[in-house]
């Protein structure tokens, strides 16, 4: 399944993301409880959901009302408070990454270190509710197991009043957060993209595209914005069945010249078990004619940090190279189990089947199943491969 986040006409904000995800199926009662409870440490909020029409488009409006506004808080203290919240670790860790994106942008704009940054609007209770609510809804719908594609963001225009005074739209922090995204001004004289919404979008999107890819839409959800314009102020999210996938991967590399063959073999298996898409080890000649090995690991974005940490831990490497967001074309894949009778005994074999545009392009039995059958039956692996087709 592919999820399309479409902020092309009305931009993006935290409450719009939440509204669209509720429209997609997230439980609003659970969200209300999580958001109000998480924000309490920063100020009391009340969360309500309402089904409304924006210029004829039925959408879900998430309203986060700040009932209490506390003083601004510095970034380290803010993060420590987030870490103490009673949340699922995945929700908490991803929320922390969103806040880190905002803090890095703010620190660059203001020329201060992260320790010196004070959160104003972003550290307010309603922004905390928006971030944690969005990430909770994201995981509750299992969207982390699917590809998320973002389309260009309409950022609006004009000026906006902030704790730092009147600033141009898009706000400097928004521009920093969306440096690798595609943005366009207008179509109204108003702020459309908030730092909170932009940071959530940047964190959960696997890929940013200029146009809608080839998809088969299954469900369309709309999250309403607070403002009213001459056009529908909604964020659209499209759930699609996959026709042909296009993947973004990270390639992680490091040179090894101090590990034994057994240690490299152990590392190979450990990386695959930890979620690497593929691992290869190639003999190389290093400087001073030393023999070594090039370790290359292909990783999805969500597993990259974990795999890098594992490589540092297991190899003691002092440097790891990362080639991020490389394009990889992939066919849609599914796994099908079949039973074969070999010499009077039934064996279950898993086949990996690849599709492109609904047509089967490959159908191969899994090696581990073939190896297991060869060991149990006493037949040669080559013979087992001939019997299972």
């Amino acid at each position: 399944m592919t999820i399309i986040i479409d902020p092309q006409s009305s931009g993006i904000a935290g409450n719009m993301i939440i509204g669209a995800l509720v429209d997609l199926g997230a439980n609003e009662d659970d969200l209300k409880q999580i958001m109000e409870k998480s924000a309490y440490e920063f100020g009391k909020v009340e969360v309500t959901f309402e089904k409304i029409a924006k210029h004829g488009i039925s959408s879900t409006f998430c309203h986060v009302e700040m009932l209490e506004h506390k003083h601004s808080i510095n970034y380290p203290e803010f993060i420590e408070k987030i870490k103490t919240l009673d949340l699922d670790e995945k929700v908490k860790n991803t929320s922390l990454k969103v806040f880190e994106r905002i803090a890095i942008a703010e620190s660059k704009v203001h020329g201060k270190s992260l320790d010196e940054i004070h959160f104003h609007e972003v550290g307010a209770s309603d922004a905390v509710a928006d971030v944690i609510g969005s990430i909770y809804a994201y995981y509750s719908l299992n969207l982390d197991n699917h590809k998320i594609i973002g389309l260009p963001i309409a950022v609006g225009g004009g000026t906006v009043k902030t704790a730092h005074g009147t600033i141009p739209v898009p706000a400097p922090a928004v521009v920093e957060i969306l440096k690798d995204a595609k943005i366009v001004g207008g179509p109204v004289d108003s702020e459309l993209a908030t730092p909170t919404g932009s940071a959530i979008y940047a964190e959960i999107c696997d890929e940013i595209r200029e146009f809608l890819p080839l998809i088969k839409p299954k469900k369309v959800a709309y999250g309403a914005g607070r403002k009213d314009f001459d056009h529908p102020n909604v964020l659209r999210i499209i759930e699609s069945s996959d026709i042909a996938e296009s993947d973004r991967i990270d390639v992680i590399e490091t040179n090894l010249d101090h590990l034994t063959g057994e240690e490299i073999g152990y590392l190979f298996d450990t990386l695959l078990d930890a979620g690497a898409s593929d691992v290869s080890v190639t003999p190389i000649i290093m400087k001073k004619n030393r023999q070594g090995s090039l370790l290359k690991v292909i990783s999805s974005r969500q597993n990259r940090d974990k795999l890098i940490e594992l490589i540092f831990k297991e190899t003691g490497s002092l440097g790891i190279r990362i080639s991020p967001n490389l394009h990889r074309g992939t066919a849609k894949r599914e796994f099908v189990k079949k039973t074969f009778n070999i010499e009077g005994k039934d064996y279950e074999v898993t086949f990996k089947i690849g599709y492109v545009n609904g047509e089967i392009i490959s159908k191969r039995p899994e090696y581990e199943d073939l190896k297991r059958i060869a060991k149990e039956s006493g037949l040669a692996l080559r013979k087992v491969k001939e019997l299972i087709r």
Side-chain angles (χ1 to χ4, degrees):
M1 185 171 72
T2 296
I3 300 296
I4 310 293
I5 299 179
D6 183 4
Q8 294 179 98
S9 64
S10 296
I12 198 160
N15 72 313
M16 295 172 76
I17 296 173
I18 296 169
L21 292 178
V22 167
D23 216 39
L24 197 64
N27 187 289
E28 61 182 63
D29 292 330
D30 291 345
L31 272 168
K32 174 181 173 66
Q33 180 182 1
I34 288 289
M35 292 167 68
E36 291 180 349
K37 183 179 178 182
S38 299
Y40 187 81
E41 184 69 26
F42 306 90
K44 189 175 180 181
V45 302
E46 183 178 10
V47 179
T48 56
F49 294 93
E50 182 183 2
K51 199 73 173 176
I52 64 174
K54 287 282 190 177
H55 281 271
I57 294 183
S58 177
S59 53
T60 299
F61 178 55
C62 172
H63 179 57
V64 182
E65 183 178 0
M66 257 199 321
L67 304 178
E68 179 185 13
H69 187 85
K70 295 186 177 180
H71 295 297
S72 64
I73 184 173
N74 66 43
Y75 178 66
E77 184 182 354
F78 175 84
I79 292 302
E80 287 307 311
K81 285 190 176 185
I82 295 293
K83 287 180 178 179
T84 63
L85 295 178
D86 183 19
L87 293 169
D88 178 88
E89 285 303 309
K90 290 193 298 186
V91 174
K92 186 185 299 185
N93 290 336
T94 305
S95 297
L96 286 169
K97 290 180 181 178
V98 172
F99 288 121
E100 183 181 27
R101 286 179 181 270
I102 300 169
I104 290 172
E106 292 280 2
S107 68
K108 187 161 186 180
V109 169
H110 300 299
K112 295 182 178 180
S113 69
L114 288 180
D115 290 343
E116 296 173 307
I117 285 293
H118 274 68
F119 277 176
H120 296 283
E121 288 89 347
V122 175
S125 54
D126 57 344
V128 172
D130 280 349
V131 171
I132 292 176
S134 296
I135 300 305
Y136 177 87
Y138 165 82
Y139 280 110
S140 73
L141 294 172
N142 297 314
L143 299 188
D144 55 314
N145 293 322
H146 303 288
K147 184 166 188 171
I148 312 290
I149 295 176
L151 297 180
I153 299 178
V155 295
T159 60
V160 63
K161 291 183 179 180
T162 72
H164 303 290
T166 301
I167 58 177
V169 171
V174 169
V175 177
E176 286 293 331
I177 292 168
L178 296 178
K179 270 187 172 178
D180 294 325
K182 294 178 173 66
I183 65 176
V184 61
V188 293
D189 182 2
S190 182
E191 181 185 35
L192 295 183
T194 67
T196 301
S198 299
I200 297 167
Y201 168 92
E203 181 61 36
I204 66 176
C205 285
D206 297 306
E207 182 181 349
I208 311 295
R209 293 199 183 186
E210 187 172 357
F211 300 110
L212 194 70
L214 178 65
I215 59 172
K216 278 186 179 178
K218 293 175 61 179
K219 187 174 182 180
V220 184
Y222 296 94
R226 177 175 55 84
K227 301 173 183 177
D228 290 314
F229 303 120
D230 290 336
H231 70 278
N233 183 22
V234 294
L235 172 71
R236 180 168 64 175
I237 293 183
I238 303 171
E239 177 185 310
S240 165
S241 58
D242 296 323
I243 294 178
E245 299 178 359
S246 108
D247 221 353
R248 292 280 177 175
I249 57 169
D250 291 334
V251 177
I252 307 165
E253 294 182 342
T254 189
N255 294 346
L256 306 174
D257 65 351
H258 58 287
L259 298 183
T260 65
E262 291 86 352
E263 289 169 333
I264 291 176
Y266 174 78
L267 175 63
F268 191 102
D269 293 337
T270 302
L271 289 168
L272 288 174
D273 290 342
S277 300
D278 199 3
V279 180
S280 64
V281 180
T282 306
I284 58 174
I285 300 297
M286 302 173 62
K287 62 184 179 181
K288 299 181 180 179
N289 293 321
R290 295 200 312 272
Q291 290 186 335
S293 301
L294 171 63
L295 173 69
K296 182 178 290 188
V297 180
I298 296 177
S299 169
S300 63
R301 175 182 174 184
Q302 63 193 45
N303 287 328
R304 180 186 65 192
D305 292 344
K306 178 174 67 174
L307 293 172
I308 290 172
E309 183 178 345
L310 184 58
I311 293 171
F312 274 125
K313 175 185 173 183
E314 294 291 344
T315 68
S317 174
L318 300 179
I320 294 176
R321 300 179 295 278
I322 305 168
S323 300
N325 293 326
L326 297 177
H327 177 80
R328 177 179 66 171
T330 63
K332 180 180 178 183
R333 287 159 286 181
E334 68 176 0
F335 295 88
V336 175
K337 293 183 182 295
K338 291 187 177 182
T339 300
F340 292 83
N341 188 280
I342 298 176
E343 295 191 340
K345 184 177 179 179
D346 288 338
Y347 294 95
E348 192 174 69
V349 179
T350 300
F351 282 78
K352 181 190 290 184
I353 303 177
Y355 297 88
V356 170
N357 293 329
E359 180 182 350
I360 295 177
I361 60 167
S362 68
K363 181 179 178 182
R364 295 193 295 269
E366 292 286 87
Y367 167 73
E368 292 298 329
D369 287 345
L370 299 182
K371 183 173 73 171
R372 172 177 51 82
I373 295 170
K375 286 185 176 180
E376 292 180 8
S377 66
L379 295 173
L381 179 64
R382 176 179 53 81
K383 182 65 175 178
V384 173
K385 290 176 67 176
E386 291 175 357
L387 295 173
I388 295 175
R389 294 189 182 278

